[in-house]
Structures are given as structure tokens and as C-alpha cells.
Amino acid sequence: MARQPILTGEEKVFGYELLFRDGVEDYFRASDADTASRSTLSTSMLIGLDVLCDGQRAFLNCTREILLKDYITLLPAPQTVVEVLESVPADDLVVATCQRLRQAGYLIALDDFVLDDPRASLAEVADIIKVDLKLTTLAQAAEIAKRHGSKLCRMLAEKVETREEFTAVRKAGFVYFQGYFFRRPETLSTQDIPENRINYLRIWQAISRPQLDVREIEDLIKREASICYRLLRYLNSPVFGLGNEIRSVRHALALLGEREVRRWLRLVATLSAGQDKSSELVTSALIRARFCELLSLKTKHTGSDLFLMGLMSLMDAILEIPMAKILEHLALDQESKAALLGNASSLRPFYRLMLAQESGEWQGAGELAEQLKLTGNEVEESYWEAVQWARQVSTA
């Protein structure tokens, strides 16, 4: 399973495109389009779109067979975007089916639309037209938006991988965006790290040391009112059932214990750091962290904290600070730092598996899993558990 976020121009999550394999027994095998579409529907019904997409819309790839046999109607119209694949011809039956689905409340999206696309007749009933920036130039994308974009038909740019591309297509009239652009930090106007952001770096640095300095942790928490407040709320939850009042921050830390302090501060510092960013960024960071942590329990490695490596992998985008600059302020081990910077490292296979699993690159994920002596089932179960855990943490 993979889900790729689709964002608005304000970088808020509009929905997710869902991608599925064809089953555990064929874990990393590429499947044909019809099989993949049927698997998408089956799994979506089993798990529920509310869980898979956190209440947002789900974009599901549909072949001609899936459309004409009305399989897509098994899913709720208000949450479903029918993404018609580029291989589906715009014949009379397909156009009529899309019109009927649209009248029933489904949104219709056309995948990989190009300039002078033969599916122009189908574009007339589409709510969303997707343009792949790997298949078209920015000039061609702008022309497609000029011809087909309107209040009734919104333009979606996919494979947007730089801030410059995002700015260009948004200016051209695109309103939805899919790709890795939102994970790349903008250049800072100053080389100094703002004080509130460096506090989070100091917290991650403090909890990554072998020996926890309680006085240092106490001081860092006191500097961040939001973290201090969250700590008190956390200890006030029924989970702890504390009968005594919390006398001080140090008292609170003593009640938690060292292991829980490390875990809790990792999570809350990440959530606090991402308050002004896309919620998808923070959730993705938490999924990556938990996924890497679960994999570390199943494999032999250098002993590095893979949770922290996964968590830090998106901190450059959350804090809008270059990764190299962030790592200057963190006492991370050299293997983790090398992996995060894209250099040779014993942890690099974990890092690459994390990215492959997230983006649905099944063949690459299979090869990396084999390299780490993991089964496909172990990887899939770990990722799904990480998704559920991150969702619970983010909404707590």
C-alpha cells in the first residue's frame, strides 16, 4: 500500500492517490492495470477510505473494465475521485459511464492528460485534469490549463518536484499539486536559524545523546510554552491515573522516566515544529520514523536509532532549513547523518526502502527488502502498522 498526497495551492491536503499491490503472495510483483484496480477497490472497502485517507478524498485508478462494470460504485461517492487512466479510450460507453458517475456525486479525474489529447470529449465531463510534468513541458502544461481549466474543471499537476515548478504551474492556473515539491525546503533569506526552530533541534540533539541530561531537558521544555503545556496535558490523561499534582517540569520528567521522556519528546517536538506546515509532512515524518523503528527490530544493523533517522528525514521541509544545516546541530551518529545526506552508509538500504515503500515503487522495495533479509510480508505489515500509529498520534 502507498498513498501519495494531493495538495492545494496553500499546501493543505485535498486527497490521496491510493496505490496497491496485488496481494501478499505476490508481494512485490507488478500486476496488470485491471488487477491493480480491483485490488485497490477491495482493500479500500475492507479498511475504509476514512482510515486510508484520514477523511480526505481518495483518487483511485480505474481501467475501462472497472468503469463499465460499475465496480467503483462500491465506494462512497463523496469520498471518491474516479481517476480514469490514460489507457482508457474516450468512446461513447466510457463517456456515458463518466457522466452517470458524475451525476451520482463522484468526481471524475483524467490521468496523464497531454496537449491535443485524443480524450478531449472526455475532458468535457471531467472535474479534474491531471498533467504529468515528466510528460509535458511547463509551456505545454500552461496551454492545457488555458484550454481546459475552469471553475468546473480544475487542473492538477503531478510529478511536481521543485518549488520553481510548483510556482510556475500554480501561476498557470493549476489548483492541485502532487509530487515531492513540498518536501524540499525553500532557501532561507538569512543563514541564521530562527530561535524557535533551533529549540527543536536542541531537543532532538539532547534526546539523541546516550546519557540524558535532565537539567538540560528541563531547560529546553521551559523555553517552549507549547511543549510545556502538552507535557502537563499528557500526564493528566487517564493513562497515568496520577493522584498527585505535578510540582514542576522536573517532577513531570521523573514521573515519565528516561525511556518515555525520549519517546514523548521526539513526538511532541515534531508535532510542534510542524504546526505551521502541511499536516501531511508531520504525519509522513511520523510514519517514516515508526516504520524504520519496526524494521530495526527485525534486522541486524549498527545500533543506530532508526526511529530518529526516519523522523529527521523530513525535518528540512518542516523547518525549511537545509538538511546539512540541521545535522550540524544534532549529535546523530555518522551512519545516520550519511544516510540523511544521501551518502554511502550501512543505513542507506533502510532509508531507500522507506522511500520506495512510501511511493509505491514495489520492485525497488522488494530488492531492498531482500537485501536486508526481510520478507515482503514483514515490510508490508510494518508499514501498515506505522500508518495506523502515526494517524493515532497525529489526531490525539
Side-chain angles (χ1 to χ4, degrees):
M1 183 194 70
R3 65 176 196 178
Q4 297 178 340
I6 293 167
L7 308 182
T8 66
E10 293 73 38
E11 300 186 42
K12 303 296 183 183
V13 178
F14 171 72
Y16 296 90
E17 180 174 358
L18 300 181
L19 301 169
F20 287 83
R21 297 189 180 91
D22 53 356
V24 173
E25 70 281 0
D26 295 317
Y27 186 74
F28 290 113
R29 191 193 70 184
S31 52
D32 64 86
D34 282 327
T35 300
S37 291
R38 285 194 295 270
S39 296
T40 301
L41 285 167
S42 177
T43 309
S44 298
M45 291 172 60
L46 179 66
I47 299 173
L49 294 182
D50 55 332
V51 173
L52 289 172
C53 298
D54 299 332
Q56 305 296 336
R57 290 184 181 272
F59 284 64
L60 290 96
N61 293 335
C62 292
T63 60
R64 189 172 188 274
E65 179 196 30
I66 296 298
L67 284 172
L68 299 187
K69 291 187 177 180
D70 273 350
Y71 291 146
I72 199 70
T73 59
L74 294 168
L75 297 174
Q79 290 179 271
T80 305
V81 180
V82 179
E83 186 168 330
V84 183
L85 294 175
E86 68 277 9
S87 58
V88 178
D91 57 42
D92 292 342
L93 281 175
V94 168
V95 172
T97 299
C98 288
Q99 288 174 331
R100 180 163 44 79
L101 288 171
R102 194 181 186 194
Q103 291 171 355
Y106 293 88
L107 292 183
I108 306 298
L110 302 184
D111 192 28
D112 290 349
F113 205 83
V114 296
L115 200 62
D116 298 322
D117 197 292
R119 297 172 292 170
S121 59
L122 197 54
E124 296 177 5
V125 298
D127 298 284
I128 298 171
I129 290 179
K130 298 183 70 174
V131 177
D132 188 332
L133 296 189
K134 296 299 182 185
L135 301 177
T136 60
T137 65
L138 289 174
Q140 290 171 333
E143 181 61 28
I144 295 171
K146 183 178 179 181
R147 293 185 189 180
H148 299 284
S150 67
K151 290 183 179 180
L152 296 179
C153 185
R154 289 150 289 176
M155 303 301 299
L156 189 160
E158 58 179 331
K159 306 284 177 63
V160 184
E161 297 195 352
T162 68
R163 182 65 57 172
E164 290 74 21
E165 287 179 341
F166 168 55
T167 302
V169 289
R170 184 171 62 175
K171 185 177 180 181
F174 284 76
V175 295
Y176 300 128
F177 310 88
Q178 185 176 359
Y180 289 113
F181 74 94
F182 66 99
R183 292 177 181 170
R184 297 172 184 264
E186 295 184 66
T187 303
L188 296 175
S189 57
T190 173
Q191 293 190 2
D192 294 328
I193 301 176
E195 183 62 28
N196 64 321
R197 292 178 182 174
I198 204 171
N199 279 340
Y200 300 125
L201 294 181
R202 287 170 177 157
I203 289 172
W204 286 314
Q205 183 180 39
I207 61 177
S208 66
R209 295 192 184 106
Q211 297 297 322
L212 206 63
D213 187 330
V214 177
R215 286 190 176 183
E216 180 187 19
I217 295 293
E218 179 186 15
D219 181 59
L220 290 170
I221 290 176
K222 286 178 178 178
R223 293 185 189 186
E224 287 295 331
S226 64
I227 291 181
C228 197
Y229 174 69
R230 286 174 184 265
L231 176 61
L232 295 176
R233 280 194 60 189
Y234 184 62
L235 287 171
N236 193 46
S237 67
V239 175
F240 291 94
L242 297 176
N244 300 324
E245 294 181 353
I246 306 300
R247 298 188 300 273
S248 65
V249 170
R250 187 174 297 187
H251 180 210
L253 295 175
L255 290 171
L256 280 178
E258 180 176 326
R259 183 174 180 179
E260 183 64 12
V261 164
R262 290 182 189 271
R263 190 193 72 84
W264 184 84
L265 279 176
R266 283 173 180 163
L267 299 179
V268 82
T270 303
L271 291 169
S272 298
Q275 280 182 335
D276 297 326
K277 300 296 292 181
S278 163
S279 60
E280 170 61 24
L281 276 178
V282 177
T283 302
S284 292
L286 293 173
I287 292 173
R288 288 183 176 191
R290 181 60 175 158
F291 177 59
C292 288
E293 182 180 48
L294 291 171
L295 292 185
S296 72
L297 300 175
K298 301 177 179 3
T299 59
K300 295 179 180 179
H301 58 90
T302 60
S304 302
D305 188 341
L306 296 191
F307 182 99
L308 195 55
M309 184 190 75
L311 187 69
M312 296 308 300
S313 66
L314 283 173
M315 282 305 121
D316 54 346
I318 290 175
L319 298 178
E320 296 186 355
I321 297 171
M323 183 62 75
K325 190 74 173 176
I326 290 175
L327 295 180
E328 287 178 13
H329 295 265
L330 282 180
L332 273 180
D333 62 277
Q334 291 305 311
E335 291 298 312
S336 294
K337 284 186 176 182
L340 290 167
L341 291 172
N343 300 327
S345 166
S346 62
L347 301 183
R348 192 65 184 165
F350 289 97
Y351 190 89
R352 291 175 58 208
L353 176 56
M354 173 188 76
L355 296 180
Q357 178 71 20
E358 181 180 80
S359 59
E361 297 174 8
W362 309 134
Q363 183 175 352
E367 293 170 355
L368 289 162
E370 186 176 352
Q371 182 179 337
L372 293 169
K373 294 182 171 52
L374 292 166
T375 68
N377 205 9
E378 286 176 320
V379 174
E380 180 71 12
E381 288 176 353
S382 296
Y383 188 76
W384 177 234
E385 183 179 333
V387 170
Q388 292 178 303
W389 177 85
R391 184 171 178 265
Q392 292 169 354
V393 170
S394 299
T395 57

